[in-house]
Amino acid sequence: MSAGSSSRLPRKRPSGRKALLATLMLVVAVASAFPLVWMVLSSLKTPAESMQVPPVWIPRTPGLDAYEKVSGVVNVGRSMWNSLVIASITTTGILVTSMMAGYAFAKYHFPGRSLLFSVLIAAMFLPPIVTLIPLYRLVGSIGLNASLAGIIVPNLANAFGIFLMRQFIAGVPDDLIDAARMDGASELLILYKIVAPSVAPAIAALALFAFVYHWNSYLWPLTVLQGNADAYPIVISLSRLLSYNRGAMNTGLVMAGATLAVLPPLILFVFLQRFFVDSIVGSAIKG
Amino acid sequence: MIQRYRASAGIMLTPAVTLIGIFILLPMLLTVWLSFQDWSTQTPFASASFIGLDNFREIFGPTSVGRDFKGALVNTAIYTALSVILILPLSVAFGLMVYQDDVAGGTALRTVLFSTYMVPMIAVALVWSKLYSPSEGPFNQMLGLVGIGPQPWLSSPRSALISIVVLNVWQQVGYFTVLAIAGLTQIPGSLYEAARLDGANRFEQFRFITLPLMRRTLLFSAVIAIINAVQVFEPVALITQGGPVGSTNVLTYHIRRVGIERAQGGLGSAMAVMLMLSLIVVVCALFALANRKDQE
């Protein structure tokens, strides 16, 4: 817009404050996005380009050489499959156990309810390292170490999931449940047919949270697998890339690996971010 | 009728309570019990022998075991404090940027900020280890463009821990921004209107309306940020291995090294108990502080 036109038109020009705010927002967004953008760009460079000083920011001849090399160093297909199995089964288990327990806490009166709930909430705040050593031994003594089952079974119930489900199921009208009881429906059927559809967005949010969390999880799988590479999820396989050909040489390789690990959770997020955000806001406000 | 629902409550609760009981609460009690035992992680629990407070004396003692543990405790405290001090103000500032008149711009910024929270920490560690790379890393290259010499980042004991704090803040701040937005939306707009009529400027509105009404949200954020911060593991395990000179040896990494890799289960458990106690003390202190402010 030229100076002449702005003086003629009575349109409100953006004030200095607004321009400043917009600039600040842009700076924050760029700083936040930079590492991931740089990761993807670096994964597409040729080895020579990633060594160059001064650096090449945008690859001139983007190629997938680095990705091919990653699949030569680690078994990408197998690891991705393992991650998918771990995250899907764990998520399914969390959904079932959280909905059942959340329903009981929200809609039943039984002795010791608030005490039991408080104990579960306390468990939610316990950092995993506090229980890691005995848990490792415990899982070993029931014969589950060095296996996918060892990663999955201890995580099939989750205190945060119970908390979230209780918060949302409490909002389902009692009349709806009582009417179904009058018709002779069993409690499990009511949970499945009446309650679950009424809290579908919360279920979606919990499913996404659980899936991403267990896709990304590193400490427990690393501990329980004891070097059984056949069962490695993708995050553990990728951690081995850094020590492969240490130094500047492997930048493209490492970035290609990181991109592969980031893609599944990030794609889920892009399509379903509304659920993520709503459930965080929901758990914070109602909590 | 009541009897019937009592039975249903039992059925509904059994799966979750059994699993959490066996895999979280039982191990927690075992950690406390093991902290008073001489026990190797490679042997059954039954082979543990009671030694009173010896594990605690050793981890606070003058030997290398004590030095390493106390170092890890201090590093974790510094790491946690720095993370919280950076995350809370940034989350409020970013929250204010998102929650304003330009709805489309705000939503876009929220998406960008929150997306980093989806990234596995292992990928964060991989990417940032290259960003921090001394010679060809982009950070030092960019500093070079504005005439600042190369920084050692992860390779100096003075800057390694703070460098890991920075990558942690980068990854987590989006989550706390969303929490801050949730808090901001709870503040009734009429309060700002009234303040404007009384002639309060933007800073005064922030100081006397926004901040006090955000106290609950900030308390919740602080607790979550602390619990998240003590769990830092991947960047240390992957890049620094606790170094240089023990400067990034944090508790989660150290407890795992002692209790699992060196199989000193008793010592590791005593360290885990100290971590749990420290967390309880800090969180209770935060709540006490917030309650006192509420009464003012």
Side-chain angles (χ1 to χ4, degrees), chain A residues 5 57 64 130 208:
Chain A
S5 70
W57 294 101
L64 297 174
V130 171
L208 292 167

XYZ file of all heavy atoms in Angstrom, chain A residues 5 57 64 130 208:
43
model
N -2.296 6.179 -1.246
C -3.579 5.503 -1.118
C -4.028 5.442 0.337
O -5.202 5.541 0.628
C -3.498 4.101 -1.713
O -2.684 3.291 -0.906
N 21.996 -24.470 3.416
C 20.750 -24.570 4.189
C 19.719 -25.394 3.433
O 19.053 -26.240 4.006
C 20.183 -23.187 4.503
C 21.071 -22.418 5.433
C 21.954 -21.434 5.121
C 21.191 -22.592 6.851
N 22.617 -20.986 6.231
C 22.165 -21.673 7.318
C 20.576 -23.442 7.780
C 22.527 -21.574 8.671
C 20.933 -23.333 9.116
C 21.899 -22.413 9.546
N 16.955 -39.064 -1.580
C 16.590 -39.929 -0.456
C 17.725 -40.889 -0.085
O 17.504 -41.902 0.576
C 15.317 -40.722 -0.792
C 14.059 -39.869 -1.014
C 12.891 -40.731 -1.482
C 13.684 -39.109 0.251
N 11.126 -44.082 39.657
C 10.971 -44.488 41.054
C 10.642 -45.975 41.172
O 11.028 -46.643 42.115
C 9.884 -43.622 41.750
C 9.556 -44.163 43.123
C 10.344 -42.180 41.844
N -5.352 -40.932 21.272
C -4.218 -40.265 20.624
C -3.069 -40.043 21.597
O -1.908 -40.287 21.278
C -4.680 -38.927 20.055
C -5.636 -39.071 18.885
C -6.298 -37.753 18.565
C -4.877 -39.591 17.684
